[in-house]
């Protein structure tokens, strides 16, 4: 056995530490540095590992990012050229941002405060300060004069910041836009309308087809002053409107019974009307020769149906009719049976006369032997100058009895035919 001494070199084990930047709020960047705590001239190898699986080489790591919150472990291994090594560890904490919630947007009545409450942080700061009773509290009372968006900044115990906002709208007094009332006749209806409110309440309900609409149909049986109260959707403010609806009765009229009269005659028509009637109108106007409210005096030439319409101050109307039957008969015509053309100026001519006569279509007179001694056509009635003066061919005829034939047209276009005897007396 041969024994010989061998030299053994003992190398110092490195002793290391590490330093890191302060913990922070996400996203946070850490700066880390390895420190050699004992003197060693050997070449050192530095290797970092992190609990989230990332690795890095080098004595220093700058701006190592952490985007999510949590506690992370950092381990640093330093190895010298002889393979001797040391390990240093540290905890890295990334603080979560507070989830700040200012609540849902709100609408307030003008002049009325509303508490707004922020949650999710340890302390709060509100802006703008206008309308708030405090700006560094969790739940200030907001009383803005106009719509305002408030921003709240919440800070956690670690100093991390979260933000949110809430808008406070303001409901103001309003005025409804509406139509006016109306004047109706009994049984009629009218539409009453309004706008500008969210909720509508009509009263009284009598005669209305609804009481909670912006537009309603009104058919009252008597004059009514309807009231409408409009409210906004929050019940902050109200407006009131009135709709007077005056109801007039339907007037009554009775024109009377139908009438039969002879053409050329006159008749007074007097209707029976209700006390509220203020106007009476008759039609057609033909044949009316005088008006004496509510009556008319008529002298129609033809059979006529008269219509009378009455109205009251509300414009409500009623009508009635009556028919006037116009006749032409013997009551309209007078034909004498004697005449005396002797020059005394009395009863000198023979001619038909009467009322309601339009013309004598034909006039013929014959002697006892059937000889035509007088003939005329389209003679104006009631004119003695158009009559027969008792002559034939310019010669005066002796007293005798003659036969006449007349076709007489009345003013109602009826034609009457008359035949008879006329005695000529000297």
């Amino acid at each position: 056995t041969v024994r010989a001494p061998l030299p053994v070199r003992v190398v110092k084990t490195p002793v290391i530490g590490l330093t890191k930047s302060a913990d922070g709020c996400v996203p946070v960047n850490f700066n880390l540095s390895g420190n050699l705590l004992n003197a060693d001239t050997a070449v050192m190898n530095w290797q970092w590992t992190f609990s989230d699986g990332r690795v890095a080489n080098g004595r220093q790591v700058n701006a190592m990012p952490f985007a999510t919150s949590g506690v992370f472990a950092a381990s640093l291994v330093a190895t010298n050229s002889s393979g001797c090594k040391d390990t240093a560890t540290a905890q890295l904490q990334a603080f979560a941002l507070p989830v700040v919630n200012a609540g849902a947007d709100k609408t307030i009545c003008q002049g009325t405060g509303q508490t707004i409450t922020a949650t999710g942080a340890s302390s709060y700061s509100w802006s703008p300060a206008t309308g708030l009773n405090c700006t560094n509290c969790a739940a200030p009372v907001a009383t803005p004069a106009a719509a305002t968006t408030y921003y709240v900044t919440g800070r956690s115990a670690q100093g991390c910041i979260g933000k949110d906002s809430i808008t406070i709208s303001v409901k103001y007094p309003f005025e409804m836009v509406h139509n006016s009332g109306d004047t109706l006749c009994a049984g009629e209806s009218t539409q009453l309308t309004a706008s500008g409110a969210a909720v509508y309440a009509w009263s009284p309900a009598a005669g209305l087809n609804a009481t909670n609409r912006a537009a309603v149909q009104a058919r009252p049986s008597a004059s009514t002053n309807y009231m409408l109260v409009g409210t906004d959707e929050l019940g902050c403010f109200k407006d009131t409107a009135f709709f007077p609806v005056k109801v007039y009765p339907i007037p009554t009229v009775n024109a009377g019974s139908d009438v039969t009269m002879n053409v050329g005659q006159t008749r007074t028509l007097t209707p029976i009307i209700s006390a509220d009637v203020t106007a009476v109108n008759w039609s057609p106007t033909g044949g009316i020769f005088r008006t004496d409210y509510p009556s008319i005096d008529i002298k129609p030439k033809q059979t006529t149906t008269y219509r009378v319409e009455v109205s009251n101050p509300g414009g409500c109307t009623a009508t009635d009719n009556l028919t006037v039957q116009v006749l032409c008969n013997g009551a309209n015509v007078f034909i004498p049976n004697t005449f005396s053309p002797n020059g005394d100026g009395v009863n000198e001519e023979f001619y038909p006369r009467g009322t309601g006569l339009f013309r004598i279509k034909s006039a013929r007179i014959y002697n006892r032997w059937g000889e035509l001694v007088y003939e005329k056509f389209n003679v104006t009635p009631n004119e003695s100058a158009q009559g027969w003066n008792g002559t034939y061919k310019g010669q005066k005829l002796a007293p005798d009895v003659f036969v006449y034939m007349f076709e007489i047209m009345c003013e109602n276009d009826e034609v009457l035919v008359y035949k008879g005897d006329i005695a000529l007396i000297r």
Side-chain angles (χ1 to χ4, degrees):
T1 300
V2 178
R3 293 182 180 182
L6 293 175
V8 177
R9 183 183 178 192
V10 178
V11 179
K12 291 189 296 185
T13 299
V15 177
I16 65 171
L18 66 83
T19 57
K20 67 179 182 69
S21 56
D23 295 335
C25 305
V26 295
V28 59
N29 294 324
F30 284 98
N31 295 319
L32 301 107
S33 178
N35 302 312
L36 187 60
L37 301 182
N38 61 347
D40 192 336
T41 60
V43 176
M44 302 295 293
N45 178 46
W46 305 83
Q47 185 173 19
W48 299 83
T49 59
F50 298 90
S51 58
D52 62 0
R54 289 181 292 174
V55 298
N57 295 312
R59 186 172 180 175
Q60 293 182 335
V61 175
N62 295 320
M64 175 63 75
F66 288 86
T68 58
S69 62
V71 178
F72 302 91
S75 177
L76 173 61
V77 177
T79 306
N80 61 17
S81 57
S82 298
C84 300
K85 61 180 67 175
D86 191 18
T87 300
T89 61
Q91 282 190 338
L92 310 178
Q93 188 164 1
F95 300 117
L97 300 180
V99 180
V100 177
N101 184 2
D105 293 343
K106 301 179 184 297
T107 301
I108 64 171
C109 305
Q110 184 186 41
T112 302
Q114 173 71 53
T115 299
I116 53 178
T117 302
T119 59
S122 297
S123 62
Y124 303 92
S125 176
W126 294 86
S127 67
T130 304
L132 298 180
N133 67 335
C134 64
T135 57
N136 295 310
C137 55
V141 176
T143 315
T148 303
T149 299
Y150 290 104
Y151 299 90
V152 61
T153 299
R155 191 178 298 272
S156 67
Q158 294 79 25
C160 300
I161 293 174
K163 296 183 178 182
D164 197 16
S165 65
I166 181 174
T167 297
I168 304 298
S169 300
V170 180
K171 185 64 67 176
Y172 301 99
F174 66 94
E175 289 186 3
M176 290 187 295
V177 177
H178 57 87
N179 64 355
S180 58
D182 204 350
T183 298
L184 304 178
C185 301
E188 292 181 340
S189 66
T190 186
Q191 188 175 60
L192 308 178
T193 62
S195 62
V199 179
Y200 299 89
W202 296 83
S203 64
L208 298 180
N209 66 334
T211 58
N212 59 352
R213 300 177 186 170
V216 298
Q217 201 74 14
R219 191 192 298 269
S221 58
S223 295
T224 304
N225 191 17
Y226 288 104
M227 181 177 71
L228 172 62
V229 177
T231 310
D232 59 55
E233 59 268 24
L234 296 183
C236 295
F237 301 100
K238 296 180 179 180
D239 189 25
T240 302
F242 292 92
F243 302 77
V245 178
K246 185 170 181 61
V247 179
Y248 284 88
I250 302 296
T252 60
V253 58
N254 183 349
S257 301
D258 291 344
V259 173
T260 299
M261 59 185 292
N262 283 82
V263 64
Q265 294 180 341
T266 64
R267 182 68 61 90
T268 297
L269 304 181
T270 302
I272 299 173
I273 58 177
S274 54
D276 61 323
V277 171
T278 55
V280 176
N281 291 295
W282 291 86
S283 62
T285 57
I288 299 176
F289 67 91
R290 182 169 52 241
T291 299
D292 185 14
Y293 177 90
S295 303
I296 57 172
D297 292 330
I298 60 171
K299 189 179 180 181
K301 296 180 178 180
Q302 307 287 340
T303 295
T304 304
T305 297
Y306 288 96
R307 180 175 183 267
V308 58
E309 180 181 80
V310 299
S311 61
N312 59 21
C316 307
T317 61
T319 61
D320 195 19
N321 299 324
L322 68 80
T323 297
V324 177
Q325 181 75 32
V326 178
L327 304 178
C328 189
N329 52 29
N332 292 86
V333 181
F334 169 70
I335 300 178
N337 55 11
T338 62
F339 79 116
S340 56
N342 54 14
D344 63 0
V346 178
N347 200 21
E348 295 286 336
E349 288 85 15
F350 171 60
Y351 59 93
R353 62 206 73 177
T355 59
L357 306 183
F358 179 63
R359 71 165 63 89
I360 310 300
K361 292 184 65 176
S362 66
R364 295 182 178 90
I365 300 175
Y366 301 86
N367 61 21
R368 66 177 59 243
W369 296 281
E371 185 180 8
L372 181 67
V373 297
Y374 172 85
E375 182 179 42
K376 276 195 175 182
F377 299 96
N378 295 321
V379 178
T380 301
N382 298 316
E383 290 192 10
S384 60
Q386 300 292 327
W388 181 44
N389 60 5
T391 64
Y392 175 60
K393 295 183 178 180
Q395 301 296 318
K396 293 181 180 181
L397 297 180
D400 202 345
V401 175
F402 297 84
V403 177
Y404 63 81
M405 294 182 60
F406 293 121
E407 286 183 303
I408 303 174
M409 177 178 286
C410 300
E411 290 180 344
N412 68 348
D413 295 332
E414 288 189 36
V415 176
L416 304 177
V417 177
Y418 286 89
K419 298 178 181 179
D421 297 334
I422 176 66
L424 187 155
I425 302 174
R426 292 289 182 182

